[in-house]
Amino acid sequence: MSLLQTTRDLQKALQVSPAESLDSDVAATLAPRLREVLNAHGHQYYVLDDPIIADAEYDVLISYLRVIETRFPGLATTDSPTLRVGAAPIERFEKFRHAEPLLSLGNAFTLDDVRQWYDRCQRSLSETYGDVQPAVTAELKIDGLALALTYVDGLLTVGATRGDGVVGEAITENVRTIPSVPLRIPVSTDESPPARLEVRGEAYIRKSDFEQLNERLASANQKVFSNPRNSAAGSLRQLDPAAAASRPLSFLAYSVGPSSERIAETQHERLKWLRTMGFAVSAHAEVFDDLEGVLGYCTAWTERREELNHEIDGVVLKIDRIDYQESLGSVSNAPRWAVAFKFPARESTTTLLDIIVNVGRTGMIKPEAVLEPVEIGGVTVSQATLHNEDYVVSRDIRIGDTVLVKRAGDVIPQVVGPVTGARAGLETLWKMPRSCPACSTELVRLPDEADYYCVSSECPAQFIRLLEHFASRGAMDIEGMGSKLAATLAQTGLVQHLSDIYRLEAAQLLMLDGFARKKAERLLAGIHASKRNGLARLLFALGIRHVGKTTAETLVPHFATIDDLSRATIEDLCAIDGIGDVIAESVVDWFRVDTNQTLIGDLKELGVNTARLDEEKTASAGRWSGLTFVLTGTLDTMTREEAKTLIVRGGGKVSGSVSRNTNYLVAGREPGSKVDRAIKLDVPVLKEPEWLRMLNEHVAAADPEDH
Ligand code: IVH
């Protein structure tokens, strides 16, 4: 019978007999049925990511079981999903001696190291098997904590940490709170489990869960964790299982330890078997018949690691055949048949020399770390963002601290937090300045916002940023006018208003350091050429809050000239697909300011084009125009509404249901039946990482302040 049918039958049975008035016989028959059904639904939800009943239905069932177990304590068992919320606190963890040591892995830092490892395996195997080309299973190296789970007759009996590999700690009560760890196996099949089985895998916290956890800790004035790995470690070692239960831990299985039966003949079949038993297994493991494929996997994941919702610090390569593994054996504490290809580290510690604040083009003030230069992943880092005042204060970051610095992909380096153990006592607390470092205007922090703003319209620092932005590639694209020249032009007073750019003369430029005739002429030619830019570029260049490149391109087809746009009302603007009230208000406010009207007048007089070009007439040149998207499930990185706005801004359409006309289904977590329909109709399904990649390609040229 299907799980859904079993559930419906059970729900009917419960309706006729309230838990509070059950007699013990009926309770004794209902309890195991409830446990089985609830565990199966937990598996659907946390392992398969595919719930088939509503959360509220699950809640009703588990409350019922809880009442039974409270009224008849004799009926409580250790595989009860009621234990997921955490058993009673314990005094300390018992030591646990592993039946076989949990080995560690040798490292390969380069592709050449991987080649050498494979050659060694091949040579050693040739002694027994002759010339073979052993297949390799490649897996992601999840950055969490190793756990060994012991199942006796299918029942989870011990969950232990790795410890020193020989002796770990039994943290069974905490392990039971991890929703993706099955309490009894197999889940929803009839296969019989081995009498004794050890499953090894990694406990970890997803990036999105980690961020939420830190937000929660920060708002409760508790110490935040510096990275997901530390938060997973801290959570698992809570003596109060209820506290562990409140931490969003996940588990991925990657191998089997000593067991009463031999499980499969290859590593990749073991992974499959673990999945059928009900364990979550990484979806990204692959088997390769040759070394080229393995090396490709290593390279690909070095670049793709950012797509995942959990941290990985490398990939693990394992000779696939178990008999080959046995033949290769181990040296000291690492197997010869496996190796970890480690990614270049993207974290390092260094000294925080100072904290300065930077004024952005919109007046936003951001604290920035001045660091003792340090190399991270091949790049020298000497500055890093500290986001805002709350960030510095909640992490207790002090000037002089040794700090952990992280550089993730293309993202700006950030200070993760202080290494408090390295403090000498001479570190000093930093205070957010009360006034703008450039113009001394008192800073303003809006309610519910973390950022401070300099609201002066005369602030020289803001003007330099605006000038920089105006001339930048995506905006007016004035060749030769980078951030250094922008600062010089503003500081010498040659450019006091944006329109002054178009009043510059060669004689003035020649007075500046480093300017000869040739260079001056080139710059003037660049300035002159920018006068013929389209309206969208100009709109974006003006630096109107919330008007990024895409928004500018969305607006332009609706207005023939900038004057037409300046007469638009909030209602006019909101009527445009992709323009919401925040943008609309910002545009209307901008045109209301007298100096902005003067600026437009001056630009026109100086010959800058303020009308729409012919090619800008047709609907936004959005890359997605003509495409229809459907959204389903929960996205971790944005709300559905936000995703919708992005699609519409890119010229695409969003529809409520999947049909033959759908071009893409964007499927988050718990996607439901739309995915089945999409597959049936051959509509491509984008999981969150693919969707993010598509989005990144689309907005790569957009302005970071465009939101
Ligand atoms: S296999 C003998 N596979 O990496 C094989 N380990 O140094 C040893 N890890 O702390 C483990 N992901 O917990 C293996 N897919 C994976 C892994 C993995 C993460 C961790 C493991 C251990 C460390 C090995």
Side-chain angles (χ1 to χ4, degrees):
M1 203 180 345
S2 75
L3 173 59
L4 201 55
Q5 195 50 53
T6 317
T7 311
R8 296 289 174 245
D9 290 351
L10 190 54
Q11 283 169 328
K12 271 186 213 135
L14 302 190
Q15 253 166 21
V16 294
S17 29
E20 290 72 17
S21 55
L22 283 183
D23 63 45
S24 64
D25 287 351
V26 183
T29 61
L30 284 177
R33 284 173 68 195
L34 272 164
R35 276 194 287 266
E36 193 181 333
V37 162
L38 283 161
N39 282 333
H41 285 297
H43 178 249
Q44 287 289 140
Y45 190 103
Y46 286 103
V47 178
L48 304 180
D49 239 359
D50 184 23
I52 55 173
I53 59 170
D55 293 0
E57 289 177 286
Y58 183 92
D59 293 343
V60 169
L61 295 171
I62 197 157
S63 314
Y64 198 101
L65 179 59
R66 219 171 267 128
V67 175
I68 295 185
E69 289 178 350
T70 316
R71 287 189 54 214
F72 309 104
L75 293 178
T77 59
T78 54
D79 67 339
S80 175
T82 54
L83 295 174
R84 298 276 195 205
V85 297
I90 46 180
E91 298 263 313
R92 60 185 184 88
F93 298 118
E94 298 294 329
K95 295 261 174 277
F96 180 80
R97 180 169 285 275
H98 295 291
E100 263 174 35
L102 268 67
L103 300 181
S104 65
L105 289 168
N107 288 327
F109 293 105
T110 62
L111 294 181
D112 216 46
D113 291 346
V114 173
R115 276 191 204 101
Q116 287 178 20
W117 164 77
Y118 189 78
D119 281 350
R120 275 197 307 276
C121 290
Q122 225 172 0
R123 241 178 292 129
S124 166
L125 287 172
S126 71
E127 291 166 17
T128 322
Y129 297 92
D131 241 359
V132 289
Q133 183 173 296
V136 171
T137 295
E139 297 167 23
L140 302 182
K141 187 167 188 301
I142 303 132
D143 198 9
L145 285 108
L147 290 184
L149 313 180
T150 306
Y151 288 85
V152 176
D153 292 328
L155 184 68
L156 174 68
T157 52
V158 184
T161 60
R162 177 173 188 273
D164 61 7
V166 178
V167 178
E169 284 176 318
I171 53 162
T172 316
E173 290 79 4
N174 289 350
V175 169
R176 284 201 184 100
T177 68
I178 306 176
S180 47
V181 168
L183 300 174
R184 177 181 285 283
I185 55 164
V187 186
S188 12
T189 59
D190 294 331
E191 254 176 84
S192 57
R196 190 178 180 289
L197 170 73
E198 185 182 311
V199 172
R200 294 177 176 183
E202 201 84 351
Y204 66 100
I205 290 190
R206 295 174 200 225
K207 290 186 205 165
S208 51
D209 289 335
F210 164 74
E211 273 149 31
Q212 279 176 18
L213 171 63
N214 262 1
E215 269 169 35
R216 212 174 73 209
L217 292 173
S219 60
N221 275 330
Q222 284 175 306
K223 212 171 154 294
V224 296
F225 288 105
S226 59
N227 59 43
R229 189 177 186 282
N230 288 356
S231 68
S235 306
L236 279 176
R237 300 201 72 259
Q238 293 273 345
L239 286 168
D240 179 2
S246 73
R247 302 290 175 76
L249 287 156
S250 306
F251 178 80
L252 279 175
Y254 56 66
S255 74
V256 291
S259 303
S260 56
E261 288 169 24
R262 188 175 172 97
I263 313 293
E265 294 304 322
T266 59
Q267 167 65 9
H268 81 271
E269 280 163 16
R270 281 189 173 171
L271 292 178
K272 274 197 207 161
W273 181 85
L274 284 166
R275 194 176 277 138
T276 61
M277 281 291 120
F279 291 92
V281 173
S282 169
H284 302 293
E286 285 184 53
V287 205
F288 296 101
D289 291 331
D290 60 11
L291 184 63
E292 283 321 301
V294 174
L295 297 176
Y297 184 91
C298 293
T299 316
W301 281 105
T302 308
E303 279 157 27
R304 291 182 59 190
R305 62 193 294 197
E306 238 41 78
E307 287 169 20
L308 299 163
N309 194 8
H310 59 76
E311 302 270 4
I312 55 173
D313 57 347
V315 306
V316 184
L317 308 172
K318 302 174 183 174
I319 297 293
D320 196 38
R321 273 174 60 163
I322 308 297
D323 56 343
Y324 285 0
Q325 292 185 1
E326 285 161 353
S327 155
L328 288 162
S330 304
V331 274
S332 62
N333 70 339
R336 283 203 198 85
W337 50 265
V339 73
F341 172 75
K342 296 289 277 277
F343 297 147
R346 292 171 317 161
E347 280 188 350
S348 186
T349 55
T350 187
T351 311
L352 175 61
L353 301 174
D354 198 5
I355 298 179
I356 55 169
V357 295
N358 242 325
V359 188
R361 140 172 90 75
T362 58
M364 192 195 282
I365 308 284
K366 284 214 170 292
E368 235 182 69
V370 180
L371 303 166
E372 179 78 51
V374 59
E375 205 201 279
I376 308 177
V379 175
T380 305
V381 175
S382 55
Q383 289 219 330
T385 180
L386 286 162
H387 302 284
N388 52 51
E389 180 185 32
D390 293 351
Y391 188 88
V392 179
V393 173
S394 70
R395 282 167 178 74
D396 188 22
I397 297 170
R398 306 180 190 180
I399 297 171
D401 262 336
T402 300
V403 287
L404 183 65
V405 182
K406 189 169 173 176
R407 195 177 69 85
D410 300 331
V411 183
I412 336 168
Q414 53 172 324
V415 172
V416 179
V419 182
T420 45
R423 280 200 176 139
L426 301 170
E427 299 75 17
T428 50
L429 289 176
W430 168 81
K431 263 201 139 148
M432 182 82 190
R434 295 291 139 214
S435 57
C436 173
C439 68
S440 305
T441 306
E442 197 178 326
L443 301 180
V444 180
R445 181 173 173 172
L446 302 174
D448 300 331
E449 275 200 34
D451 296 303
Y452 281 86
Y453 284 89
C454 166
V455 291
S456 164
S457 57
E458 314 268 300
C459 174
Q462 281 178 55
F463 184 67
I464 293 174
R465 290 282 122 73
L466 177 61
L467 197 52
E468 234 175 81
H469 166 76
F470 186 86
S472 68
R473 179 95 49 87
M476 294 302 266
D477 193 17
I478 301 178
E479 233 190 290
M481 197 151 146
S483 56
K484 234 171 104 196
L485 181 60
T488 310
L489 291 174
Q491 280 157 0
T492 53
L494 285 178
V495 175
Q496 295 180 11
H497 307 280
L498 288 177
S499 53
D500 292 342
I501 296 174
Y502 297 97
R503 297 191 177 98
L504 283 171
E505 288 170 12
Q508 296 173 312
L509 293 172
L510 287 172
M511 301 294 291
L512 301 176
D513 251 5
F515 264 93
R517 184 150 300 276
K518 254 265 177 68
K519 189 168 165 191
E521 277 168 7
R522 253 201 321 257
L523 177 64
L524 290 176
I527 292 174
H528 187 73
S530 75
K531 291 182 182 176
R532 292 189 301 271
N533 280 338
L535 181 54
R537 273 185 183 274
L538 178 63
L539 269 186
F540 173 51
L542 291 172
I544 305 170
R545 247 182 119 183
H546 303 297
V547 180
K549 207 171 158 47
T550 322
T551 305
E553 282 166 3
T554 309
L555 287 169
V556 165
H558 301 270
F559 302 94
T561 66
I562 199 157
D563 292 325
D564 286 353
L565 175 61
S566 87
R567 282 187 291 267
T569 62
I570 292 187
E571 293 75 57
D572 297 338
L573 293 169
C574 283
I576 300 171
D577 249 1
I579 305 296
D581 45 2
V582 175
I583 297 175
E585 247 172 68
S586 174
V587 171
V588 169
D589 284 350
W590 193 89
F591 282 106
R592 247 191 227 138
V593 176
D594 284 345
T595 50
N596 292 337
Q597 288 294 345
T598 313
L599 170 63
I600 303 288
D602 288 353
L603 287 173
K604 269 196 280 191
E605 234 178 79
L606 291 160
V608 176
N609 170 53
T610 56
R612 183 175 67 192
L613 303 180
D614 276 349
E615 64 262 31
E616 293 184 304
K617 269 188 196 149
T618 41
S620 83
R623 240 195 43 191
W624 295 333
S625 59
L627 297 183
T628 303
F629 290 71
V630 175
L631 301 166
T632 182
T634 314
L635 295 167
D636 289 325
T637 49
M638 65 189 77
T639 64
R640 243 197 252 183
E641 209 42 49
E642 284 163 341
K644 190 171 163 185
T645 309
L646 290 168
I647 291 170
V648 173
R649 277 205 206 160
K653 269 209 279 243
V654 178
S655 150
S657 57
V658 179
S659 72
R660 276 179 213 289
N661 298 327
T662 309
N663 296 93
Y664 293 101
L665 174 68
V666 179
R669 279 185 290 109
E670 303 158 46
S673 63
K674 284 188 185 147
V675 172
D676 301 332
R677 190 161 162 75
I679 292 170
K680 216 192 247 156
L681 296 177
D682 251 350
V683 171
V685 179
L686 303 174
K687 291 282 198 80
E688 186 150 9
E690 288 141 355
W691 158 239
L692 289 177
R693 197 146 21 115
M694 190 153 158
L695 207 55
N696 274 332
E697 280 163 17
H698 184 56
V699 297
D703 180 33
E705 296 200 30
D706 177 21
H707 45 69

